[in-house]
Amino acid sequence: MQSTDCERGSSPENIAAPYPDDDPHGNPRHWRSYYKHVLLLAYQSCGVVYGDLSTSPLYVYKSTFSGSLRRFEDEETIFGVFSLVFWTITLIPLLKYVFIVLSADDNGEGGTFALYSLLVRHAKFSLMPNQQAADEELSTYYKPGYTAQDTPILRALRHFLEKHSKSRTFLLLMVLFGASLVIGDGVLTPAMSVLSSFSGLQVHCHALTNGEVVIMSCIVLVCLFTLQQWGTQRVAFLFAPVVIVWLLCLGGIGVYNIVVWNPRVFYALSPTYLVRFFLRTGKEGWIALGGVLLSMTGTEAMFADLGHFTATSIRVAFVGLIYPCLVLQYMGQAAFLSKTPDCDIHFIFFQSIPRTLFWPVLVIATLAAIVGSQAVISATFSIVRQCTALGCFPRVKIVHTSNRIHGQIYSPEINWILMLVCLAVTVGFRDTMLIGNAYGMACAGVMVVTTLLMSMVIVFVWQQGFILATLFLLAFGVVEAAYLSAALMKVPQGGWLPLALSLVFVAIMYVWHYGTRLKHTFDVQNKVSLRWIHALGPSLGIVRVPGIGLIYSELATGVPAVFSHFVTNLPAFHQVLVFVCVKAVPIPHVRPEERHLVGRVGPRDFHMYRCVVRYGYKDVLGDDSDFENDLVLRIAEFVQMEAAEAAENANRNSDGAASVEGRMTVITRPSDLARTGLLVREPLDGEESVVVRAATAAADVHKSDTLQSLQNMYESESPGFANQRRVRFEISEMAGEYVDPRVKEELSVIVEAKHAGVAYIMGHSYIKARKSSNVFKKFAIDVAYNFLRKNSRGPAVALNIPHISLIEVGMIYYV
């Protein structure tokens, strides 16, 4: 079923776990290993992180001088534009992201959701339902060394945000808007990069029309999206060399143009050229910021892809290679343009290439554009997975494209939607200028959201005070607001596209989150009373048949209303019942040993338990064919621990209460079976299969040949059964005389039930708005939410529950 239990050091998000960013113990050998590892990660990050940022020189000057700024095209204006580009990539990518934002990681993870997760945990801003106090005991829940401060200002602000749910809703909408802009990048980056690289063919192939360039671009885009199903791992080895060769070409061509055309361009490094540029160009210069903004596209990937590397490796790659090569290239283009004012600005990059190098550079540029597009598409899949885990996106199919690296994922539905929209943008706009306007809008929006969230992290997580947060907000927020205002001026010329895409995605995300919250609120308000369960007695008023029933619910505490529906409508129920809740917690990863909480529901002779399975927003909710066996071992250990605590309490003259409803205990999968009182053995050759044995024991009769053949067919064709570890449990005789007879009896019941078979029981819910609801709520729930629910994957499919063992009962929720 659910738990992957992969070790943290083996996951892609933690590839640098063996070599953290701390002092490598002062040992020279450790130092060498540490530096070697950092350099290796820095090399790999070039292909994954910087593919998008490194292709920006293809279109920055073209977009900047495309408008009315063209009439100011002289040396001073060109130098002013270069000065703008230089100080932009120095202030935002270098100073803000490399030196500040990369430090705001969430247990090694970065991105918009990482910042939001930090705020949810440290400042209690969450709108997520189903959170427990036990979640705060997770080892990675709080930042290391964090101690809550309760200054009057912090207390007042926290009280305001906790009291006014609308402020928390606004924060969530802002995060969803930032995530939607990143998804929009997954559409715009491939279209912009591939179309820009292929347009270079028109420099020396004058007979090539724009329509033919668009067709070639569309063919490459279709191939790019089609190859996603094989994952990036198979071609990842080529990514870093392509980008590095591309960056070296950029730096080398830049140096050539500086030396050959205009060495005086070095003077433009002075910020005085920036000031003189605005004094001279006025409004046209401000509007031109929308083109300069494109020099930062892909910067957010440095933070978003932090989980794949380390902050040190990303900093080394940017400072040592990316930054100097980009600066030299922009400087070389400015030098070339200042001496060739009659060149075609639409092909400024390709015309600045020495003729003998044109075709090799064009090939490398095309490959670099594809690499940059691949990185953004993969990031889009990751964003969708995070949104789904936090209940902010409908369930979609997630395929893991690498058996070794769990972070490499692919979503067929999202992939084909991105491809169709990307092709529509390429064919509809047919012009990199219009696509560039849309691209700049998405880039500026994400950066503003990151700045706002980062200022809150400085206050609530880093606890550095309001003065430092205000300085950060003013220093970077004002600059990014200026770029955003310039991008907004281009809304009619293509800038409307990312806004439209973002509004659509935000609407989808918020409607799904809203419906999920209302459904959980209904479950909480209609929980079954334990007094009612106690009144039914151990038999629950029905026949208890052999077997284990796993009742899935979104409630981490209490008994769901669907259980009373089962009891009153089914003539029999399983001998052992386990209420299973699979939920997400606002941290990137939950350690396998902390993932499962186990508790008891009702008295001992009811044989009812609860298991809460916790996942982080970047954990893989994948196949765990051994979940049933793990669950039996965990429940057995819980029974033993509970009995030991009861005996200890009895020795202390306490009331000896065995358990308290709602009390949960973290139970790892026992490595020492002696703690469980069970023995595990593999079935002998010739023993019946799991399905056949379960059905035979439960019914105590022989099945018909038809039913048996159907079950055997399902077992042979189902991957879950093929990979399932088939074991039999037995009561250990070694500690028999020391075990409480009641514990031994309870373990016998559990083992007998496991051998009889396991059934998965879920409620098939339909949500409807109450008749008294307003028209907006009725539309959101009855139309939008139900449409998304019908066209998304069901919870049983998402949890990989075997269909042959599934029982579903329909329920209507009036919310």
Side-chain angles (χ1 to χ4, degrees):
M1 180 211 102
Q2 295 84 344
S3 174
T4 51
D5 286 9
C6 59
E7 290 298 331
R8 186 164 167 75
S10 64
S11 68
E13 293 84 356
N14 303 285
I15 190 172
Y19 300 92
D21 283 341
D22 53 8
D23 178 27
H25 312 297
N27 189 318
R29 192 172 176 184
H30 284 283
W31 278 106
R32 287 194 296 271
S33 299
Y34 173 74
Y35 287 136
K36 184 184 298 184
H37 190 71
V38 168
L39 291 176
L40 176 62
L41 290 176
Y43 165 78
Q44 293 174 341
S45 71
C46 291
V48 176
V49 177
Y50 296 111
D52 188 11
L53 184 63
S54 65
T55 56
S56 298
L58 290 173
Y59 40 74
V60 169
Y61 282 105
K62 174 175 63 175
S63 299
T64 304
F65 286 99
S66 61
S68 56
L69 194 66
R70 183 71 175 172
R71 62 190 180 91
F72 292 98
E73 194 175 326
D74 52 24
E75 181 175 289
E76 184 172 349
T77 304
I78 293 169
F79 282 10
V81 170
F82 165 68
S83 184
L84 258 177
V85 171
F86 170 75
W87 287 105
T88 295
I89 61 177
T90 299
L91 185 63
I92 304 300
L94 181 64
L95 185 58
K96 174 190 167 183
Y97 278 89
V98 171
F99 290 112
I100 300 178
V101 176
L102 284 181
S103 300
D105 65 291
D106 183 11
N107 295 299
E109 298 295 334
T112 306
F113 270 101
L115 296 178
Y116 179 65
S117 175
L118 287 172
L119 293 172
V120 163
R121 302 200 309 269
H122 294 79
K124 313 297 190 236
F125 293 162
S126 178
L127 284 173
M128 293 175 59
N130 220 9
Q131 300 304 299
Q132 300 171 274
D135 297 339
E136 299 184 20
E137 299 176 4
L138 291 167
S139 57
T140 56
Y141 195 85
Y142 291 108
K143 296 282 284 186
Y146 172 82
T147 54
Q149 294 182 0
D150 200 23
T151 62
I153 299 179
L154 272 176
R155 186 166 58 249
L157 183 57
R158 187 180 289 114
H159 177 72
F160 173 82
L161 291 170
E162 291 177 356
K163 182 179 179 181
H164 297 84
S165 61
K166 290 184 178 179
S167 60
R168 288 177 288 158
T169 301
F170 174 77
L171 180 64
L172 176 64
L173 286 173
M174 183 171 67
V175 173
L176 295 181
F177 180 70
S180 299
L181 289 173
V182 175
I183 296 175
D185 277 348
V187 171
L188 297 172
T189 299
M192 183 71 177
S193 300
V194 174
L195 193 58
S196 296
S197 61
F198 272 105
S199 64
L201 291 171
Q202 294 178 297
V203 174
H204 293 297
C205 300
H206 302 290
L208 196 65
T209 65
N210 289 334
E212 293 170 337
V213 170
V214 169
I215 291 174
M216 288 189 293
S217 300
C218 288
I219 293 173
V220 171
L221 290 172
V222 170
C223 294
L224 176 64
F225 282 100
T226 302
L227 292 174
Q228 295 302 310
Q229 58 186 310
W230 282 281
T232 60
Q233 178 63 20
R234 299 186 182 183
V235 292
F237 181 76
L238 298 176
F239 282 11
V242 167
V243 175
I244 290 175
V245 171
W246 167 247
L247 286 166
L248 293 177
C249 286
L250 292 181
I253 294 171
V255 171
Y256 171 83
N257 287 328
I258 293 170
V259 173
V260 171
W261 294 102
N262 195 348
R264 293 183 65 254
V265 73
F266 278 101
Y267 293 123
L269 295 175
S270 170
T272 57
Y273 277 85
L274 187 153
V275 176
R276 285 154 55 184
F277 169 79
F278 284 113
L279 292 176
R280 186 168 184 230
T281 58
K283 181 180 178 181
E284 286 78 5
W286 170 59
I287 296 176
L289 287 176
V292 177
L293 170 63
L294 296 179
S295 63
M296 299 186 291
T297 55
T299 299
E300 188 71 21
M302 282 194 293
F303 186 43
D305 291 330
L306 179 60
H308 296 276
F309 306 98
T310 63
T312 300
S313 62
I314 292 178
R315 288 174 177 135
V316 167
F318 186 84
V319 175
L321 180 64
I322 312 298
Y323 180 74
C325 288
L326 289 179
V327 170
L328 288 173
Q329 173 57 213
Y330 288 123
M331 188 182 295
Q333 285 193 47
F336 174 80
L337 186 59
S338 66
K339 295 301 182 181
T340 57
D342 296 330
C343 71
D344 189 346
I345 195 65
H346 289 85
F347 305 109
I348 172 63
F349 171 79
F350 292 102
Q351 289 189 348
S352 67
I353 301 173
R355 192 175 184 88
T356 55
L357 298 177
F358 175 81
W359 291 107
V361 172
L362 178 64
V363 172
I364 298 173
T366 304
L367 294 175
I370 294 173
V371 169
S373 303
Q374 174 65 57
V376 177
I377 294 170
S378 299
T380 302
F381 295 152
S382 180
I383 287 286
V384 170
R385 183 182 68 174
Q386 293 177 33
C387 293
T388 304
L390 295 176
C392 296
F393 201 87
R395 291 177 290 268
V396 295
K397 184 177 182 180
I398 299 294
V399 178
H400 306 285
T401 58
S402 173
N403 293 327
R404 270 192 322 109
I405 303 179
H406 293 289
Q408 304 231 341
I409 60 174
Y410 161 72
S411 175
E413 297 96 332
I414 300 301
N415 183 66
W416 302 127
I417 291 174
L418 288 179
M419 186 190 77
L420 293 176
V421 179
C422 185
L423 292 175
V425 169
T426 305
V427 174
F429 282 0
R430 306 171 66 90
D431 186 359
T432 56
M433 304 304 303
L434 296 177
I435 300 176
N437 293 338
Y439 200 14
M441 171 65 73
C443 176
V446 173
M447 289 183 176
V448 169
V449 170
T450 300
T451 299
L452 293 174
L453 293 175
M454 188 65 203
S455 62
M456 298 180 71
V457 167
I458 292 174
V459 174
F460 291 104
V461 182
W462 289 359
Q463 299 177 335
Q464 296 298 319
F466 286 92
I467 295 178
L468 187 61
T470 303
L471 291 175
F472 178 86
L473 188 61
L474 290 176
F476 300 108
V478 171
V479 174
E480 291 167 353
Y483 279 111
L484 182 61
S485 64
L488 288 172
M489 293 295 294
K490 298 186 177 182
V491 167
Q493 292 84 37
W496 57 268
L497 179 61
L499 292 178
L501 290 175
S502 298
L503 289 177
V504 171
F505 281 111
V506 167
I508 292 173
M509 292 177 178
Y510 188 74
V511 164
W512 186 262
H513 181 77
Y514 179 63
T516 302
R517 273 196 295 137
L518 289 180
K519 181 176 180 293
H520 182 265
T521 302
F522 180 91
D523 281 331
V524 171
Q525 294 174 350
N526 293 273
K527 289 192 293 188
V528 176
S529 168
L530 282 179
R531 185 179 303 172
W532 179 78
I533 293 178
H534 291 171
L536 294 176
S539 68
L540 299 178
I542 54 178
V543 178
R544 301 290 290 270
V545 298
I548 296 179
L550 303 183
I551 304 174
Y552 278 76
S553 166
E554 295 180 0
L555 288 180
T557 59
V559 178
V562 71
F563 178 71
S564 63
H565 198 54
F566 291 144
V567 171
T568 55
N569 288 276
L570 296 179
F573 225 74
H574 296 83
Q575 184 179 11
V576 174
L577 296 178
V578 183
F579 294 95
V580 180
C581 172
V582 180
K583 72 170 192 174
V585 290
I587 62 175
H589 304 278
V590 177
R591 293 179 177 177
E593 62 270 19
E594 298 178 323
R595 180 161 292 157
H596 296 81
L597 289 170
V598 179
R600 187 186 295 279
V601 179
R604 181 192 296 268
D605 54 355
F606 279 51
H607 303 303
M608 296 168 61
Y609 308 92
R610 182 188 313 283
C611 179
V612 178
V613 188
R614 301 178 290 185
Y615 284 90
Y617 59 80
K618 295 206 74 173
D619 280 330
V620 179
L621 194 67
D623 278 323
D624 182 12
S625 54
D626 217 23
F627 174 73
E628 297 172 5
N629 299 328
D630 286 348
L631 184 60
V632 170
L633 291 174
R634 288 187 171 96
I635 293 176
E637 182 173 0
F638 169 77
V639 170
Q640 296 277 18
M641 291 176 58
E642 185 185 56
E645 290 180 7
E648 185 178 349
N649 290 338
N651 293 334
R652 294 177 181 175
N653 297 322
S654 68
D655 57 5
S659 181
V660 178
E661 167 61 18
R663 178 184 175 187
M664 305 289 290
T665 305
V666 176
I667 302 292
T668 63
R669 178 169 184 178
S671 56
D672 181 10
L673 290 179
R675 301 203 313 252
T676 67
L678 299 180
L679 293 176
V680 180
R681 72 175 180 86
E682 302 289 340
L684 300 175
D685 292 338
E687 285 191 328
E688 292 176 299
S689 68
V690 172
V691 175
V692 175
R693 184 173 64 248
T696 302
D700 199 26
V701 293
H702 294 289
K703 297 183 303 297
S704 67
D705 293 338
T706 304
L707 178 59
Q708 188 169 13
S709 64
L710 287 174
Q711 290 178 332
N712 288 335
M713 184 184 303
Y714 180 85
E715 181 177 349
S716 63
E717 294 179 357
S718 173
F721 278 102
N723 298 327
Q724 183 168 338
R725 183 187 173 209
R726 301 177 180 179
V727 299
R728 290 187 65 87
F729 295 96
E730 296 176 355
I731 304 297
S732 174
E733 300 296 337
M734 297 178 60
E737 57 207 46
Y738 304 106
V739 176
D740 186 330
R742 295 181 302 168
V743 173
K744 192 169 184 179
E745 179 185 356
E746 188 171 5
L747 293 179
S748 299
V749 171
I750 295 172
V751 169
E752 178 187 349
K754 174 61 175 70
H755 292 165
V758 178
Y760 297 80
I761 305 163
M762 304 190 73
H764 194 79
S765 58
Y766 297 88
I767 301 179
K768 291 186 177 182
R770 292 192 181 98
K771 292 182 179 180
S772 59
S773 303
N774 59 55
V775 64
F776 296 105
K777 183 176 180 180
K778 288 182 178 179
F779 176 81
I781 298 300
D782 296 343
V783 179
Y785 180 82
N786 281 313
F787 173 80
L788 294 174
R789 182 187 60 81
K790 291 176 182 177
N791 290 277
S792 62
R793 295 168 68 83
V797 179
L799 295 173
N800 298 296
I801 293 176
H803 183 69
I804 197 171
S805 304
L806 177 64
I807 302 173
E808 287 189 291
V809 175
M811 280 195 68
I812 298 179
Y813 288 68
Y814 287 100
V815 295

